[in-house]
Amino acid sequence: MAPSTTTLSKVYSQGLPLLTSASVNPHAPVGKWLLSTSSLVLAMVHIGGITRLTKSGLSMTDWKPLGSRPPFTAEEWNTEFERYKTYPEWEQRKSMTLEEFKYIYYWEWGHRMMGRVVGVVFGGGWAYFTWMHRPKTLGSVLPLSQSMSLAMPTNMSSAIPTGYQPRLALLFAMGGAQGLVGWWMVKSGLGDDRRGDRKEIRVSPYRLAAHLGMAVGTYSLLVWTGLNVLSHPLDVYPAVAKEASTAVAGGAAQKSLLSVVEQYSKSLAPAALRHAQRTRAGVLSTIALTGCTILSGAFVAGNDAGNAYNEFPLMNGQFIPWDDMVSSELVPRWRNMFENTATVQWNHRMLGTFTALSALGVAGYGLIHPAGRAIAAQSVSSLTPQVKRGLLALGTAATAQMSLGIATLLNYVPISLAACHQLGSLVVLTSGIYSAHSLRYASRSMLTTIERKFVPVS
């Protein structure tokens, strides 16, 4: 027996919240562990950005998978400093003192050890939840309201939801590969082929983009998976009227019943559903633009392109500096897209601007558009409170990020502003991921699932 529309309206007054308490979600500890790990990845990316900005990335000239302690004694520091002097970067930094070397060494060492801390937290948590932790027993029925309940499975043996182990294995593999990609990147600045470089010795911008891209990809998947786990009961377990909940809990009838999120989607009027679908499409487009902008930022950093054309919106008095964007020295010509200072910076400017405009556009369409306001006046809104908060955060974060980027450029890339600018990109990305997840009731896969179950909500 499905809940009535009146019952649904009362349940949905709070939207589709994340269930963070183990008293209502047996999977909540797993979700919080995943989101905590994602916050560590975010911190690692931030520290990595500062490591690059302080030109510390080539200070450690070897790599040990399990890590090592830093030098302690004067003799150990002198040995490490002498090893650094045998590599190409020293030829351009011969005025460096031992104290200055210690400063850059600690940044690189801290960045590497932060990566290993993330690995221990994720690997340890995965092992704990797989073999040791058992979910809190909540019974076969979980009340949602006075007249509506969730039919919970009675044979739950793990807090990790069914089907999530392969994704956790993928995340573990991505984390391990990240360390290898990081060393592959560093090696590009240590080779003897870099001796005699006229430009400042830096790591390959292509490898830097790969390193940052993998970190951002891992972070995004951690956040999405954590949100999925915290919303798992509302997304998967059948929602039924209380008088029928005991009868269907744990039974075969569950397969034909809709979850809370599926019932929400089913209860939307056609116009409301279209509005939600278009909003979600706009959010996904903004996420894609944000990812492209982050990668283009890696090429700006890898080519030190932020220290040129320090004006906005023009570049050397032109909107598009055509004469500077194609260098005859870069063959084949496509290399200008990734190695030419003017082209790389122009690409980042345009992508950043389009990202901000896209974020503001989708936030405006979702929150201000007349269709959205009219639909919200009906019994079930096209946008939940979670979606509205996500869209507001997305529009605000993208606007602030673009402003921060302009300020960073005009001030010749000070470390403080540049580090905040990189961190801001992940804030925009997180806001987009949260908004897209909150709009999951309008996803194509959700609608396909409902059609397959083909159980109308009455």
Side-chain angles (χ1 to χ4, degrees):
M1 179 178 178
S4 66
T5 303
T6 302
T7 299
L8 286 173
S9 181
K10 292 180 179 179
V11 172
Y12 297 147
S13 62
Q14 299 300 317
L16 299 169
L18 299 174
L19 304 180
T20 58
S21 172
S23 63
V24 294
N25 181 2
H27 312 293
V30 176
K32 288 189 279 190
W33 157 65
L34 288 169
L35 293 182
S36 297
T37 305
S38 74
S39 68
L40 291 177
V41 174
L42 184 147
M44 185 181 71
V45 172
H46 183 53
I47 293 173
I50 298 175
T51 300
R52 175 186 54 77
L53 289 164
T54 55
K55 303 178 182 179
S56 306
L58 299 177
S59 58
M60 293 182 69
T61 56
D62 62 352
W63 182 70
K64 299 176 181 178
L66 298 180
S68 60
R69 66 171 178 82
F72 285 156
T73 66
E75 182 180 357
E76 290 176 337
W77 275 114
N78 283 323
T79 300
E80 196 66 39
F81 194 26
E82 290 302 316
R83 181 185 296 118
Y84 171 73
K85 290 179 181 179
T86 65
Y87 286 87
E89 188 181 48
W90 171 251
E91 296 177 358
Q92 298 181 351
R93 306 182 73 175
K94 289 185 177 181
S95 62
M96 181 187 297
T97 65
L98 179 59
E99 290 303 313
E100 290 171 336
F101 174 72
K102 289 180 180 180
Y103 175 78
I104 65 172
Y105 187 95
Y106 274 126
W107 272 115
E108 175 65 10
W109 182 83
H111 178 54
R112 293 190 187 190
M113 293 309 297
M114 187 67 183
R116 294 177 174 92
V117 168
V118 172
V120 169
V121 171
F122 184 85
W126 186 20
Y128 172 73
F129 286 114
T130 298
W131 290 303
M132 298 178 64
H133 178 81
R134 291 296 174 263
K136 182 177 180 181
T137 302
L138 301 178
S140 60
V141 175
L142 179 64
L144 284 179
S145 68
Q146 293 182 350
S147 56
M148 186 178 181
S149 299
L150 285 180
M152 305 288 288
T154 56
N155 59 344
M156 193 182 301
S157 60
S158 175
I160 298 176
T162 302
Y164 274 71
Q165 287 288 2
R167 191 182 303 184
L168 297 181
L170 173 62
L171 282 165
F172 188 76
M174 291 175 70
Q178 177 69 355
L180 294 173
V181 172
W183 176 240
W184 175 63
M185 175 192 70
V186 170
K187 283 185 67 177
S188 67
L190 298 176
D192 286 335
D193 60 318
R194 304 301 300 273
R195 296 187 187 277
D197 277 14
R198 290 178 298 172
K199 294 183 178 180
E200 180 179 307
I201 294 177
R202 289 173 168 264
V203 298
S204 162
Y206 299 96
R207 298 188 187 188
L208 175 61
H211 187 50
L212 178 60
M214 179 164 282
V216 171
T218 303
Y219 171 77
S220 301
L221 186 56
L222 277 168
V223 172
W224 184 266
T225 305
L227 295 175
N228 272 349
V229 172
L230 291 178
S231 61
H232 190 75
L234 297 182
D235 293 357
V236 176
Y237 301 142
V240 294
K242 271 196 173 181
E243 57 269 23
S245 58
T246 304
V248 301
Q254 287 193 30
K255 296 181 180 180
S256 63
L257 293 173
L258 299 178
S259 67
V260 173
V261 175
E262 290 166 348
Q263 291 190 30
Y264 188 96
S265 179
K266 188 70 174 177
S267 67
L268 290 176
L273 182 58
R274 284 195 299 272
H275 179 251
Q277 288 176 311
R278 290 168 181 169
T279 302
R280 191 171 193 271
V283 170
L284 293 175
S285 298
T286 303
I287 292 174
L289 280 170
T290 303
C292 292
T293 306
I294 291 173
L295 288 180
S296 74
F299 286 99
V300 170
N303 291 282
D304 199 23
N307 283 309
Y309 306 100
N310 299 96
E311 57 181 329
F312 191 87
L314 302 180
M315 297 174 64
N316 198 22
Q318 301 174 288
F319 182 69
I320 305 177
W322 292 110
D323 294 339
D324 298 341
M325 293 180 72
V326 180
S327 171
S328 59
E329 297 180 3
L330 293 174
V331 180
R333 292 292 179 88
W334 60 261
R335 290 177 56 193
N336 284 277
M337 290 290 294
F338 307 103
E339 299 178 46
N340 182 296
T341 296
T343 307
V344 165
Q345 192 190 119
W346 189 84
N347 289 342
H348 190 59
R349 288 184 181 212
M350 292 301 101
L351 283 168
T353 301
F354 290 147
T355 299
L357 292 175
S358 176
L360 287 172
V362 71
Y365 176 76
L367 299 173
I368 304 174
H369 193 277
R373 292 201 302 272
I375 293 167
Q378 300 177 12
S379 58
V380 179
S381 173
S382 63
L383 303 182
T384 66
Q386 291 74 30
V387 175
K388 294 174 182 178
R389 286 195 292 269
L391 291 176
L392 182 61
L394 179 60
T396 302
T399 303
Q401 173 67 354
M402 183 176 176
S403 301
L404 188 57
I406 295 172
T408 302
L409 177 70
L410 297 180
N411 287 279
Y412 293 85
V413 198
I415 292 177
S416 57
L417 284 179
C420 289
H421 183 53
Q422 178 174 283
L423 188 62
S425 67
L426 293 182
V427 174
V428 177
L429 181 65
T430 306
S431 301
I433 292 172
Y434 176 79
S435 299
H437 183 268
S438 298
L439 279 160
R440 62 194 181 280
Y441 57 85
S443 67
R444 183 174 299 177
S445 60
M446 181 71 67
L447 299 178
T448 301
T449 300
I450 294 171
E451 290 175 3
R452 187 171 65 248
K453 291 183 177 182
F454 203 69
V455 179
V457 176
S458 57

